[in-house]
Amino acid sequence: MKEGFAVIGLGRFGGSICKSLVEQGMEVLAIDSNEERVNEFMSIATHAVICNSTDENALRQLGIRNFEHVIVSIGEDIQSSILTTLILKEMGVKYVTAKATNDKHAKLLDKIGADRVVHPERDMGRRIAHYIVSKNMLDYLELSDEYSLVEISVSNRRFLGKSLHELDFRNTFGVNIVGIKRDKQMIITPEATDVLQSSDVLIVIGSDDDIERLQEQIQ
């Protein structure tokens, strides 16, 4: 199973990742110390095993170092999360993504070598907050602490019937329009001559402050 994925921790977050990877045709080893959870994934993952991920010998027997990418999605037990991540990196696992439950947990994971740290609860909270505040925002993806990619529907008549050149989003708002969804069509890297229509959804990338300013104008 070289270059496959291993998911350690089959709670709501880890289980969702496991299922999504399998749906995309990936080989996935599902690992959890809870027998009931492992049994649930026997028919979903390529392999599902009961294992204490803080036991280095047990991980070696599973051949965990042969996996291209290991996701540590242990939630409640922060100590196990940190120890598992540390063991994986010391064993030479190429890429480790680890779930953090809070900022202190994230800093520790980062210090011990996690290649990527994710905050699913925090990020989902931010997405929901953006949806609540903006009637025009259809989707939101945080790229960093300061930059995001969003989908914004065009409802303000002031923008309709005008070209991207006329609206000059980059100089006026400091954002870039990287795509336009128009009905069932997706326009990638639109031309300056493209004229906005009432059904258009803009794919916008920029700083959070600039995106907020654009939202206020569009809304």
Side-chain angles (χ1 to χ4, degrees):
M1 293 183 65
K2 287 184 179 179
E3 298 189 0
F5 293 83
V7 178
I8 301 176
L10 301 175
R12 183 178 297 178
F13 178 67
S16 176
I17 288 179
C18 184
K19 290 174 182 176
S20 296
L21 288 171
V22 170
E23 288 171 1
Q24 294 176 63
M26 305 298 174
E27 289 190 335
V28 182
L29 172 63
I31 302 170
D32 200 292
S33 58
N34 184 295
E35 183 177 359
E36 189 176 334
R37 287 180 180 173
V38 171
N39 288 336
E40 180 186 345
F41 282 84
M42 284 286 190
S43 59
I44 299 173
T46 312
H47 297 289
V49 297
I50 302 168
C51 177
N52 176 4
S53 61
T54 62
D55 184 338
E56 184 174 347
N57 290 328
L59 290 178
R60 287 189 184 278
Q61 289 176 12
L62 290 175
I64 201 76
R65 63 182 298 176
N66 293 325
F67 287 83
E68 184 77 10
H69 194 152
V70 179
I71 299 96
V72 180
S73 55
I74 301 169
E76 297 176 0
D77 191 343
I78 292 178
Q79 184 175 331
S80 292
S81 166
I82 292 169
L83 186 54
T84 298
T85 302
L86 182 60
I87 290 171
L88 292 171
K89 293 311 296 182
E90 287 183 341
M91 289 175 65
V93 174
K94 186 174 181 180
Y95 200 94
V96 175
T97 293
K99 171 190 172 183
T101 55
N102 55 54
D103 289 339
K104 287 184 179 179
H105 186 192
K107 287 179 181 178
L108 286 169
L109 289 169
D110 186 59
K111 283 185 178 181
I112 63 175
D115 298 284
R116 184 180 181 188
V117 178
V118 295
H119 304 70
E121 286 85 4
R122 183 201 68 182
D123 294 345
M124 182 55 69
R126 287 186 179 181
R127 293 183 73 169
I128 291 171
H130 277 81
Y131 296 149
I132 292 171
V133 170
S134 174
K135 295 178 181 179
N136 294 75
M137 186 177 292
L138 305 178
D139 203 359
Y140 164 86
L141 176 65
E142 182 181 285
L143 302 177
S144 70
D145 289 339
E146 297 179 359
Y147 289 85
S148 302
L149 185 146
V150 300
E151 293 184 1
I152 301 178
S153 61
V154 180
S155 58
N156 192 318
R157 291 181 180 178
R158 186 163 63 88
F159 289 79
L160 300 178
K162 292 187 177 180
S163 69
L164 294 180
H165 173 71
E166 290 177 282
L167 294 168
D168 196 9
F169 285 96
R170 182 179 296 178
N171 288 322
T172 306
F173 301 103
V175 301
N176 289 306
I177 309 300
V178 296
I180 299 175
K181 285 184 179 180
R182 179 169 294 161
D183 298 321
K184 294 183 179 180
Q185 181 186 9
M186 181 66 181
I187 305 170
I188 303 297
T189 58
E191 301 290 338
T193 53
D194 283 325
V195 176
L196 296 187
Q197 302 176 12
S198 59
S199 63
D200 286 352
V201 174
L202 302 178
I203 313 299
V204 182
I205 189 169
S207 72
D208 293 338
D209 290 341
D210 290 333
I211 289 173
E212 185 176 346
R213 195 154 50 92
L214 171 62
Q215 283 180 254
E216 289 174 356
Q217 291 298 316
I218 286 184
Q219 197 159 298

